[in-house]
Amino acid sequence: PFLVMEYLEGESLADRLDRCERLPEEEMRHLARELLDALAAAHTQGVVHRDIKPENIHILAPGRDGERVKLLDFGISSKADEALYKLTQTGSVLGTPHYMSPEQARGDAELDHRIDLYAVGVVLYECVVGEVPFDAPNYNRLIRMIIEEEPLPPRQRGAVISDKTEQFIMWALEKEPALRVHSAEAMLDWLERTGRGE
């Protein structure tokens, strides 16, 4: 038996952030459009990724249409109609801690695609700030921060972005799912409209 996989040239977003630390606003917005387009396609099929992070976002070598993004590693993804989003047998929550939504961090029994949208917000925050919204010396403190503390707006941490882009990122980082952006399509629409100056 063997597995055939596509060979991808380019680099991960994690590698780019290691090299550049922060991305310019327009570059971040372009990568966000690409990422959200891929995520919208997955969500339309009822698939929730559950592990959105820079290591799983691959930036392809530029082609005629500029840089494109591929969303990788659906290893812990789930279909929305399955019995899913439970704690693992060891009691840990699936996903990478820094990119977990508050509801994931709490271990809520029923989660949906909005956990991916929160993770996108963390990734975009990291793109413009150079650091994730929350960090701590240990896992328990980090989980508590994600659940209880409000993230500082990116511009208060030195991000050079517009007010609208900051609002966009903070919208994705709402702690309560009901207040968070409701879909990847809505995020894409917002990017398109603000890109046109609306």
Side-chain angles (χ1 to χ4, degrees):
F2 63 93
L3 180 66
V4 177
M5 298 178 69
E6 181 182 9
Y7 177 75
L8 298 177
E9 295 185 351
E11 63 181 342
S12 71
L13 178 57
D15 288 340
R16 179 163 297 185
L17 289 173
D18 282 345
R19 193 177 75 251
C20 302
E21 188 175 343
R22 299 183 185 196
L23 302 184
E25 180 174 3
E26 282 309 308
E27 182 178 351
M28 182 278 290
R29 288 173 65 97
H30 172 73
L31 294 177
R33 282 191 292 270
E34 289 285 312
L35 172 59
L36 289 164
D37 191 48
L39 198 55
H43 289 174
T44 297
Q45 298 300 315
V47 175
V48 181
H49 189 283
R50 295 201 288 177
D51 198 21
I52 304 289
K53 58 185 178 182
E55 289 82 359
N56 289 339
I57 299 166
H58 192 84
I59 305 168
L60 297 174
R64 287 181 298 178
D65 299 325
E67 290 185 324
R68 303 296 303 271
V69 162
K70 286 220 173 190
L71 183 56
L72 308 180
D73 196 356
F74 282 76
I76 64 169
S77 65
S78 294
K79 291 279 287 181
D81 57 355
E82 295 172 352
L84 42 91
Y85 316 137
K86 303 295 183 184
L87 296 178
T88 64
Q89 290 180 348
T90 59
S92 61
V93 180
L94 293 174
T96 303
H98 289 92
Y99 303 89
M100 280 184 188
S101 67
E103 59 268 33
Q104 276 178 295
R106 287 192 300 265
D108 289 0
E110 294 185 9
L111 306 174
D112 61 25
H113 66 281
R114 288 173 293 186
I115 65 174
D116 285 347
L117 304 180
Y118 182 92
V120 168
V122 176
V123 168
L124 300 183
Y125 189 105
E126 186 176 5
C127 284
V128 297
V129 170
E131 297 177 3
V132 291
F134 301 112
D135 196 13
N138 62 68
Y139 177 86
N140 289 337
R141 175 62 181 142
L142 174 61
I143 293 300
R144 185 173 176 182
M145 291 175 74
I146 290 170
I147 293 170
E148 297 179 357
E149 298 184 16
E150 293 296 330
L152 280 176
R155 292 191 297 178
Q156 290 187 28
R157 296 185 64 183
V160 183
I161 56 175
S162 67
D163 180 59
K164 286 187 174 181
T165 297
E166 181 172 80
Q167 290 173 13
F168 175 71
I169 293 170
M170 297 302 287
W171 187 24
L173 292 176
E174 284 283 356
K175 291 202 179 294
E176 290 302 321
L179 300 177
R180 195 177 305 150
V181 59
H182 62 276
S183 70
E185 289 90 342
M187 293 181 80
L188 278 168
D189 180 64
W190 192 97
L191 281 171
E192 293 298 328
R193 287 188 292 104
T194 56
R196 297 192 298 266
E198 297 178 16

